[in-house]
């Protein structure tokens, strides 16, 4: 069985939980309490020197960074290549969406929300960073024009990564209703994606643990 070091409130971790569900892969879930500093214990640093979650351990092999884990899971455990096509051009489209999530959409969440949530001295919301969120959603809206799914008009790992991120924005009360293509894609994804229920449970956990005070302001 694969050991999976995670926290349910983490968007990247939730993308892996949904993908594993789609693949029928059972994970031995090991919670890592970041607030308690469990990621800094020597035994965890030995597994992952960067002491980040999610981290996946498959036998004597360890991999971290959620999109790398997604790719590893489907390449090793997928019954076919539907979630991550072998065709170079189709794969490039999926990769582009994954990297867009990593470097643009999820990063815009980090820029705006993390200083309010996770820094030792909480900072007020920065309107300039809010603009980065709007810009990222505008780009996602363009990418989803005429698309039922994030890439190739079929379910791929790009959907799992992006849905985990967008649902985190939703629970953080970012209003993306003006982006009609995003709304259409997201509503469909909630119906068809394996593991959606656990993903949303993680969002609610995030709200209770970290978001409640910020959202009261």
């Amino acid at each position: 069985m694969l050991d999976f070091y995670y926290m349910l409130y983490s968007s990247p971790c939730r993308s892996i939980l949904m993908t594993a569900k789609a693949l029928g892969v059972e994970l031995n879930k090991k919670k890592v309490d970041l607030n308690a500093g469990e990621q800094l214990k020597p035994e965890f640093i030995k597994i992952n020197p960067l002491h980040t979650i999610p981290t996946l351990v498959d036998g004597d092999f360890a991999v971290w960074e959620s999109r790398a884990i997604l790719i590893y899971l489907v390449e090793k455990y997928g019954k076919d290549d539907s979630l991550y096509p072998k065709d170079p051009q189709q794969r490039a489209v999926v990769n582009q969406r994954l990297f867009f999530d990593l470097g643009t959409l999820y990063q815009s969440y980090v820029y705006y929300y993390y200083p309010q949530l996770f820094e030792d001295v909480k900072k007020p919301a920065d309107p300039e960073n809010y603009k980065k969120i709007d810009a990222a959603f505008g780009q996602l809206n363009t990418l989803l024009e005429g698309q039922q799914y994030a890439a190739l008009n079929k379910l791929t790992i790009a959907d799992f990564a992006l849905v985990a991120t967008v649902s985190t924005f939703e629970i953080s009360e970012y209003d993306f209703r003006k982006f009609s293509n995003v709304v259409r894609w997201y509503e469909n994804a909630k119906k068809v994606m394996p593991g959606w229920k656990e993903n949303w449970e993680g969002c609610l956990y995030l709200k209770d643990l970290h978001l409640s005070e910020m959202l009261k302001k």
Side-chain angles (χ1 to χ4, degrees):
M1 187 183 297
L2 308 179
D3 288 337
F4 182 54
Y5 295 84
Y6 82 115
M7 280 299 288
L8 187 58
Y9 65 70
S10 160
S11 168
C13 291
R14 287 185 272 111
S15 71
I16 293 163
L17 292 171
M18 289 188 285
T19 300
K21 182 94 170 179
L23 294 170
V25 172
E26 188 174 354
L27 299 174
N28 181 29
K29 300 174 186 174
K30 295 176 175 286
K31 291 183 179 179
V32 179
D33 188 342
L34 304 181
N35 294 328
E38 291 181 354
Q39 75 278 16
L40 300 176
K41 290 184 176 180
E43 55 267 33
F44 186 70
I45 291 178
K46 186 176 179 180
I47 296 169
N48 175 356
L50 300 186
H51 51 79
T52 57
I53 59 167
T55 294
L56 183 77
V57 178
D58 188 359
D60 59 359
F61 175 72
V63 60
W64 49 91
E65 208 305 299
S66 63
R67 291 102 188 147
I69 296 173
L70 294 179
I71 292 170
Y72 175 78
L73 285 174
V74 295
E75 288 191 322
K76 183 166 183 181
Y77 295 101
K79 296 178 177 62
D80 53 43
D81 71 342
S82 61
L83 291 178
Y84 192 55
K86 290 184 172 66
D87 176 81
Q89 292 186 355
Q90 292 186 5
R91 177 168 287 195
V93 175
V94 176
N95 287 340
Q96 187 278 324
R97 303 302 195 264
L98 290 173
F99 300 151
F100 170 79
D101 178 54
L102 171 64
T104 302
L105 188 65
Y106 187 73
Q107 190 60 45
S108 74
Y109 188 93
V110 172
Y111 284 139
Y112 182 72
Y113 288 101
Y114 273 34
Q116 302 177 65
L117 297 173
F118 301 123
E119 294 194 7
D120 292 337
V121 178
K122 304 294 189 299
K123 295 180 180 178
D126 184 338
E128 291 303 311
N129 284 332
Y130 192 87
K131 293 177 183 178
K132 294 177 182 177
I133 298 176
D134 281 342
F137 268 86
Q139 291 168 347
L140 179 60
N141 199 64
T142 298
L143 292 173
L144 291 171
E145 182 67 37
Q147 299 283 323
Q148 189 79 344
Y149 295 96
L152 311 177
N153 261 329
K154 65 178 182 178
L155 187 66
T156 68
I157 55 175
D159 291 286
F160 293 107
L162 287 163
V163 161
T165 298
V166 172
S167 59
T168 304
F169 276 105
E170 182 183 17
I171 204 67
S172 304
E173 298 186 2
Y174 172 73
D175 185 2
F176 52 86
R177 287 176 295 179
K178 62 184 176 181
F179 302 105
S180 58
N181 294 330
V182 175
V183 172
R184 174 179 45 77
W185 160 80
Y186 184 59
E187 291 303 316
N188 178 66
K190 290 193 288 186
K191 297 173 185 175
V192 304
M193 292 185 68
W196 165 258
K197 182 179 178 182
E198 187 172 14
N199 175 70
W200 190 245
E201 288 173 356
C203 289
L204 295 174
Y205 181 33
L206 172 65
K207 184 175 184 178
D208 290 341
L209 194 63
H210 289 297
L211 293 173
S212 298
E213 286 302 314
M214 184 194 74
L215 294 175
K216 289 178 183 176
K217 297 177 182 179

